[in-house]
C-alpha cells in the first residue's frame, strides 16, 4: 500500500454509514501516550527521538490490528503530501513542523492513525462515520491495549497517563464529534449551545474556516478535561450532551421547514444550482454551499445525490487534494477553477 | 380575437428574428397625431373626447391594414389587464390614467398598436424584432398614410404635425431601439456612450428598473428632436449611431471573453444555474440573470436555449403577466414564488 492509493478511495468515515449521519459527520477520539524511560519529545535530542521512533515502529509492527497499515516517515514526504494527510485528518498540522524522526502510521481504511513523535511520543487516533462515540472508543482502547503489550507507557497511579502538556494528563483522551448544525446556526440558537457546553466541560469550534467564522455550519465539539475522570465518565458526558444537540437540530430543521418551506427550499436549490454551474469557486464558498445541500438531502428536497457524496466533495475540494488529483502544484487562482471542474464532475456527471 | 389570446402567443418582436438580435432586442417607433378641428385631449370635455374617439375608431375600421386588429376601450379593462398591456409595451403607463373615452387598437401580431386619446388624440406605434429602424418606419408610415385617408390630422406648413406637447411637434416621431449592452456596462464604457449620444441628439435610459439603475444592462436609446428635421434625417442619424454602439458591444464581447474566459463563463453559468434552481425570485434579479444568459447564448456558452426564449421569459415574468397566467391577483411575495416556478417551467422542463 502506498500513499497515493488513498487518493482513489474513500475514507471509511466519509461513508455516512454511522448513526445520525444527517447531523453528525464523524466521531474522532485520540489518546496521548509516552514511552517509559524515554525523554519527552521537546526535551529529546535527535538520537533520543530516533530511539523512540524505532521503539514505537517496532511495537506497531508486532500488533495484529495494524498489520495492514502504512508507515510513513514524515521527513520523506513532500510538503504537498503532508498537507494531503492533514486534510484527510490523519495527522495534525503540528506534525508537519520539525519533521526529523517523526512518523505516521495509517491503517488501510483510514479509521486508525498513529502519530509518532508529535507533541507526545504517541498519539493514537480513531475516526468513524457519524455519531459513534462508544464504538470509536472501543477500537481505540483495543489498539492501545494491544500496543501496550509491546511498549511500556509512562503511567502514574496518582495522575494516570503522563503527557507532554498537563491538559492531556490523566486519560490522555480527547474525543470529538463533527456536527453539521445549519439550522441552529441560522436561527442563532448556536450561541446558546456554545454557552451551555462551555459550562459542561466541552469546547466547540468551527471546523472549517478560521476561529470564529464557522464556514458552512460545521462544528467540532470535544471534551476539555482529561484529569480526574475516567474515560467512561468523559465519554458518557460527551455522548449525552451531543445527543441533545443533535435532537435539537433535527427538531429545528423540521419546525423551520414547516414554517418557511419556500425560503429554505430556495436557499438549498440555489446552492445546488450554483455548485453545479460555477466555473471558479473558493473552498470557503464551496463549504457553505455543500452545507445547504447536506441539509437539503436530509429534508428530502435533494434526492439525486447522497450525503456520502457531499462528504466526499468536502474532502476532495481542499487545496492539497486538488493538487494531488491534478498531479502537480497549482496556484490558488487556478485551484478555484480546478475545484469548480472537480465539483461539476462529481455532482453533474455522476 | 380577445385580449386573453395574447397570453398564449408570442409577440412578434420577441422572436429574435430581426437583424442584430444578439444585441438589439427590439425597435420601436411612434408618431403623435391630432384630429383637425377637435380640441386637444387636455382641453377637451367628455363630449369632445367621445367625439374624437368615435372619429378615430371609425377611421381605423375603414383601413385595410388594421382590419384584423382588436379594439379595447380602456375603461372596460381591469387594472390587471391594463398593466398587462403596458408590460407588453402595447400602451403607455400614462394611458392608464383618466381612462374615460380612451381606447387601444392592437394588431393581431402586436406589431402595431394605436393609443386613442392619450396625450395626443392618436399615437401610432410599431414594434419590430431586432435592429430594424427603416423597416419599422416603413410600416408606421404606411399606416399613418392609410389612416390619413379617413381622418384629417392637424398639420402646419411651418411646424409640421402639431402636438399636445411642443417636444413632439414637427415629425411627431420618436424612434427607439432597446439594446442589451452587458459588456459596455461591465467595463464602464457605457458612460462614454451615454455622454456621446447626448451630444448627438439622442437619449438613453435603462429599460428595466428605476431611472438610473439599469437592471440587467438593457438600455433604450431614442431620438430627442422632432422639430426641424425630416423623418429620414432623424432615422438615419439614429441608425448610424446605434450601429456604432452595437459594433462596439460585439467587439468588446469577443475581446473580453478572450481575456477573461473563466470569469465570464463563471458569471454566465452561475446565472443560468440560479435561474433554473431558485424557488423565490424578484423581477429585478431575474432581469440581471437573464442578461447574463443572453450574453452566454451569444458567446456560444449556452446552447440549450434560444434568445427568443430569454425574450419570452423577460416578458412573462412581469407582475401582470404572472397574475394573468395564474388567473388571479397575487401578492408580491407569492409572485416571487410563482415567478420562480414559471422560470423553471420555461428553462428546465423545456
Amino acid at each position: 500500500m502506498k500513499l497515493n492509493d488513498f487518493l482513489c478511495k474513500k475514507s471509511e468515515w466519509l461513508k455516512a454509514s454511522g448513526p445520525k449521519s444527517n447531523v453528525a459527520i464523524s466521531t474522532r477520539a485520540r489518546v496521548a501516550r509516552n514511552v517509559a524511560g524515554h525523554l519527552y519529545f521537546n526535551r529529546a535530542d535527535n538520537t533520543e527521538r530516533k530511539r523512540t521512533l524505532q521503539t514505537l515502529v517496532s511495537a506497531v509492527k508486532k500488533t495484529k490490528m495494524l498489520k495492514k497499515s502504512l508507515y510513513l516517515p514524515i521527513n520523506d514526504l513532500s510538503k504537498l503530501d503532508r498537507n494531503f494527510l492533514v486534510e484527510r485528518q490523519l495527522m495534525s498540522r503540528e506534525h508537519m513542523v520539525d519533521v526529523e524522526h517523526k512518523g505516521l502510521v495509517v491503517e488501510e481504511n483510514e479509521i486508525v492513525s498513529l502519530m509518532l513523535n508529535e507533541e507526545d511520543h504517541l498519539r493514537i487516533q480513531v475516526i468513524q462515520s457519524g455519531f459513534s462515540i462508544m464504538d470509536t472508543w472501543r477500537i481505540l482502547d483495543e489498539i492501545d491495549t494491544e500496543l501496550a503489550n509491546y511498549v511500556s507507557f509512562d503511567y502514574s497511579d496518582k495522575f494516570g497517563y503522563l503527557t507532554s502538556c498537563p491538559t492531556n494528563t490523566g486519560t490522555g483522551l480527547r474525543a470529538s464529534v463533527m456536527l453539521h448544525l445549519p439550522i441552529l446556526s441560522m436561527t442563532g440558537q448556536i450561541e446558546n449551545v456554545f454557552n451551555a457546553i462551555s459550562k459542561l466541560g466541552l469546547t466547540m469550534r468551527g471546523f472549517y474556516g478560521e476561529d470564529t467564522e464557522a464556514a458552512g455550519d460545521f462544528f467540532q465539539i470535544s471534551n476539555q478535561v482529561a484529569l480526574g475522570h475516567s474515560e467512561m465518565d468523559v465519554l458518557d458526558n460527551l455522548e449525552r450532551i451531543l445527543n441533545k444537540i443533535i435532537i435539537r437540530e433535527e427538531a429545528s430543521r423540521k419546525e423551520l421547514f414547516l414554517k418557511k418551506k419556500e425560503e429554505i427550499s430556495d436557499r438549498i436549490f440555489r446552492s445546488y444550482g450554483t455548485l453545479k454551474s460555477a466555473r471558479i469557486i473558493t473552498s470557503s464558498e464551496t463549504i457553505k454551499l455543500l452545507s445547504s445541500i447536506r441539509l437539503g438531502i436530509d429534508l428530502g428536497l435533494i434526492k439525486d445525490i447522497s450525503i456520502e457524496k457531499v462528504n466526499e466533495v468536502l474532502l476532495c475540494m481542499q487545496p492539497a487534494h486538488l493538487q494531488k488529483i491534478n498531479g502537480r502544484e497549482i496556484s490558488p487562482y487556478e485551484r478555484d477553477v480546478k475545484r469548480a471542474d472537480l465539483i461539476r464532475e462529481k455532482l453533474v456527471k455522476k
Side-chain angles (χ1 to χ4, degrees), chain A:
Chain A
M1 186 174 194
K2 288 174 186 170
L3 176 60
N4 281 354
D5 294 343
F6 291 133
L7 204 56
C8 313
K9 66 194 272 297
K10 289 172 193 162
S11 314
E12 193 62 28
W13 64 270
L14 286 175
K15 294 188 177 168
S17 52
K20 296 288 181 192
S21 282
N22 55 335
V23 177
I25 317 284
S26 59
T27 301
R28 276 206 287 180
R30 63 106 172 116
V31 290
R33 301 286 183 255
N34 286 280
V35 182
H38 288 229
L39 281 174
Y40 280 24
F41 184 75
N42 286 332
R43 306 293 295 275
D45 63 10
N46 269 336
T47 317
E48 181 73 348
R49 287 179 179 184
K50 190 175 175 186
R51 186 170 78 99
T52 306
L53 188 66
Q54 283 170 341
T55 304
L56 285 167
V57 170
S58 108
V60 167
K61 280 188 179 156
K62 287 174 192 155
T63 62
K64 281 177 193 161
M65 297 184 71
L66 297 169
K67 211 187 296 175
K68 285 191 170 179
S69 63
L70 175 71
Y71 173 66
L72 301 163
I74 306 300
N75 215 3
D76 292 359
L77 299 173
S78 68
K79 201 180 156 202
L80 182 58
D81 282 340
R82 291 172 200 162
N83 276 312
F84 174 74
L85 291 163
V86 170
E87 287 178 358
R88 287 184 93 79
Q89 305 191 37
L90 296 169
M91 70 181 221
S92 65
R93 207 159 276 285
E94 293 71 36
H95 209 45
M96 287 180 63
V97 185
D98 196 4
V99 292
E100 193 86 19
H101 305 302
K102 286 190 170 181
L104 182 73
V105 177
V106 184
E107 176 267 335
E108 60 170 349
N109 292 319
E110 298 179 69
I111 293 173
V112 186
S113 70
L114 278 61
M115 284 187 282
L116 313 180
N117 274 337
E118 210 242 21
E119 185 184 284
D120 294 296
H121 291 151
L122 176 64
R123 292 268 174 106
I124 312 171
Q125 173 190 276
V126 174
I127 184 164
Q128 290 266 77
S129 168
F131 181 46
S132 189
I133 291 176
M134 292 306 165
D135 194 43
T136 302
W137 167 249
R138 187 186 50 73
I139 299 169
L140 181 56
D141 190 39
E142 277 176 24
I143 290 165
D144 184 36
T145 306
E146 198 189 4
L147 269 170
N149 293 332
Y150 309 110
V151 58
S152 175
F153 296 132
D154 251 353
Y155 186 85
S156 140
D157 285 338
K158 189 171 173 192
F159 295 113
Y161 288 99
L162 300 177
T163 56
S164 186
C165 175
T167 55
N168 290 311
T169 298
T171 56
L173 171 67
R174 178 148 298 175
S176 68
V177 178
M178 198 194 341
L179 296 181
H180 179 226
L181 305 174
I183 299 297
L184 293 186
S185 182
M186 190 197 286
T187 56
Q189 296 179 67
I190 201 79
E191 291 298 321
N192 303 338
V193 171
F194 186 80
N195 293 332
I197 66 167
S198 305
K199 292 173 193 158
L200 296 164
L202 305 184
T203 58
M204 178 169 109
R205 66 178 185 89
F207 186 75
Y208 295 99
E210 294 305 308
D211 302 323
T212 49
E213 180 226 7
D217 315 314
F218 296 97
F219 299 90
Q220 186 164 282
I221 299 178
S222 59
N223 67 304
Q224 214 164 7
V225 184
L227 191 68
H229 298 274
S230 74
E231 285 89 348
M232 273 304 141
D233 284 350
V234 167
L235 297 170
D236 270 343
N237 184 48
L238 186 64
E239 191 172 47
R240 200 170 37 80
I241 297 167
L242 286 176
N243 201 41
K244 282 187 187 167
I245 298 173
I246 291 170
I247 288 171
R248 190 149 155 198
E249 168 69 22
E250 287 180 324
S252 301
R253 285 183 187 182
K254 279 183 197 147
E255 198 185 321
L256 200 70
F257 188 54
L258 272 177
K259 268 195 221 156
K260 302 198 167 190
K261 191 175 174 188
E262 272 115 3
E263 285 86 344
I264 303 266
S265 305
D266 186 55
R267 175 180 143 172
I268 287 166
F269 284 113
R270 278 175 182 249
S271 298
Y272 198 23
T274 300
L275 260 187
K276 289 194 286 189
S277 307
R279 262 52 179 177
I280 308 175
I281 195 162
T282 63
S283 60
S284 155
E285 186 186 2
T286 306
I287 293 164
K288 281 177 195 161
L289 297 175
L290 285 172
S291 168
S292 286
I293 290 168
R294 214 178 188 283
L295 176 64
I297 297 169
D298 186 40
L299 290 174
L301 292 173
I302 294 179
K303 296 190 171 80
D304 60 348
I305 56 163
S306 62
I307 285 189
E308 179 180 7
K309 180 68 81 176
V310 172
N311 290 352
E312 186 192 334
V313 177
L314 268 171
L315 183 76
C316 291
M317 66 89 207
Q318 298 178 96
H321 273 75
L322 277 177
Q323 295 177 82
K324 290 283 289 181
I325 289 165
N326 284 280
R328 61 184 173 92
E329 289 205 18
I330 304 175
S331 71
Y333 173 78
E334 203 192 334
R335 281 208 294 270
D336 289 349
V337 175
K338 293 287 182 192
R339 178 176 297 110
D341 291 347
L342 179 86
I343 291 168
R344 288 201 313 289
E345 200 172 295
K346 299 258 180 211
L347 300 186
V348 183
K349 299 166 198 160
K350 60 191 179 283

